Amino acid sequence: MEAEAADAPPGGVESALSCFSFNQDCTSLAIGTKAGYKLFSLSSVEQLDQVHGSNEIPDVYIVERLFSSSLVVVVSHTKPRQMNVYHFKKGTEICNYSYSSNILSIRLNRQRLLVCLEESIYIHNIKDMKLLKTLLDIPANPTGLCALSINHSNSYLAYPGSLTSGEIVLYDGNSLKTVCTIAAHEGTLAAITFNASGSKLASASEKGTVIRVFSVPDGQKLYEFRRGMKRYVTISSLVFSMDSQFLCASSNTETVHIFKLEQVTNSRPEEPSTWSGYMGKMFMAATNYLPTQVSDMMHQDRAFATARLNFSGQRNICTLSTIQKLPRLLVASSSGHLYMYNLDPQDGGECVLIKTHSLLGSGTTEENKENDLRPSLPQSYAATVARPSASSASTVPGYSEDGGALRGEVIPEHEFATGPVCLDDENEFPPIILCRGNQKGKTKQS
């Protein structure tokens, strides 16, 4: 069922999109509106194909799709304490859960589903949607800031550890134990994100001037980038490329910054024997005698590439993906548009805008839907998401990345985490009535 774009409020451009999110491998975009939600495929630059649309739930403010599957999680302002999980291809509800306060954010991979409230985080097993753990008494988190590694075998969770400083708590979503605490910034956190393999964690504070990257799980600082010095900004999006070679940051300004994660080596190349080389060496040595803040700025790397937006002050999210075999920068805006830029990692410099798509008037055909739900080549910089080989197979019927398997169809093992999520046979999946629950008292405390 397709949502009607005409339901968007006239003249209310800013309120047209209440939420928007890229899926875990940046092959799909989900948007929420007053009328419902839509899912788009990001397989082409020339056209934007709508995979699915629904207006059965109005006023959606959270919508998350699990990779390119037919599993989608939706939260509406009409019931902000209730999480609804759907199999959109079949048009059925898998389950729903109610919580003690408003849901602020949801994160998921093939192993875990996280529900973040202001003062607690619920960890569900995505295989059967059972509640595994509740993290209570966490510092107040009014924005629902949290991150989950998309690598299900490495399901690390990160969330703010302090209300007054940029402390990050790293938590193992598989063993359900705290790993470490990272003193990332002096100011409070504004953004945190994992790379695809879950081996790196990037963060930014509310000042938005410095972005740091840490190793996981030991929490050692690997990189430090300076976004700018002239003004503080609000970082709205922070994301790694799928091969972890680049880190992209967007904010409430008109500039998107892309940083390159250079390989760190212990050996330094010989300094050039020129006068400029000598002066450069002396300049860097002099930073040891400068105040710490000044010295740090001298050693922080600047953006490798940038992109200029034709707007500022609007909510937006960005991602780095590979579309039609070329690296692209994608920026979705609350105004209801998706901007596509060419990104050449060899040249750097300024990215060139190549296409702008409207997210409020796009439609698709059934043929396009089916094409999107078929298995496709990985849409990433280097397809480095840790996946076992698809050569081994299982005959267990259940949920698969192609949007739902037929009963008895052979499904590759890598489509599962530790077992299948049975979305295609109501008798195999736990009955909906058993999946529904009220998460107010029956929880395991941390």
Side-chain angles (χ1 to χ4, degrees), residues 39 57 64 89 122 126 167 179 193-194 237 260 312 329 338 341 350 366 368 377 386 410 442:
L39 305 176
I57 297 183
E64 297 285 345
K89 189 177 181 183
Y122 293 81
I126 205 167
E167 187 177 272
V179 177
T193 187
F194 287 98
S237 182
K260 187 174 183 180
S312 63
L329 165 66
L338 175 66
Y341 293 81
E350 187 164 332
E366 290 297 327
N368 286 334
L377 295 176
V410 175
K442 302 182 295 181

Side-chain angles (χ1 to χ4, degrees), residues 139 157-162 167-171 178-182 189 192 194 201:
L157 161 67
Y159 61 91
S162 171
E167 187 177 272
I168 302 174
V169 176
L170 185 63
Y171 189 88
T178 300
V179 177
C180 69
T181 300
I182 304 172
L189 295 170
I192 48 179
F194 287 98
L201 175 68

Side-chain angles (χ1 to χ4, degrees), residues 71-110:
L71 187 150
V72 62
V73 183
V74 180
V75 182
S76 168
H77 277 300
T78 58
K79 294 183 179 180
R81 298 184 178 187
Q82 179 173 298
M83 172 188 71
N84 302 278
V85 184
Y86 296 100
H87 186 296
F88 71 77
K89 189 177 181 183
K90 291 182 61 177
T92 59
E93 181 184 66
I94 297 169
C95 63
N96 64 65
Y97 276 95
S98 295
Y99 300 86
S100 58
S101 61
N102 290 357
I103 300 172
L104 301 179
S105 63
I106 288 176
R107 301 288 182 267
L108 61 163
N109 61 24
R110 293 185 180 92

Side-chain angles (χ1 to χ4, degrees), residues 39-44 47-51 362-364 368 372:
L39 305 176
F40 298 94
S41 169
L42 302 176
S43 59
S44 172
Q47 61 183 13
L48 194 63
D49 293 331
Q50 183 179 313
V51 179
S362 299
T364 188
N368 286 334
D372 179 76

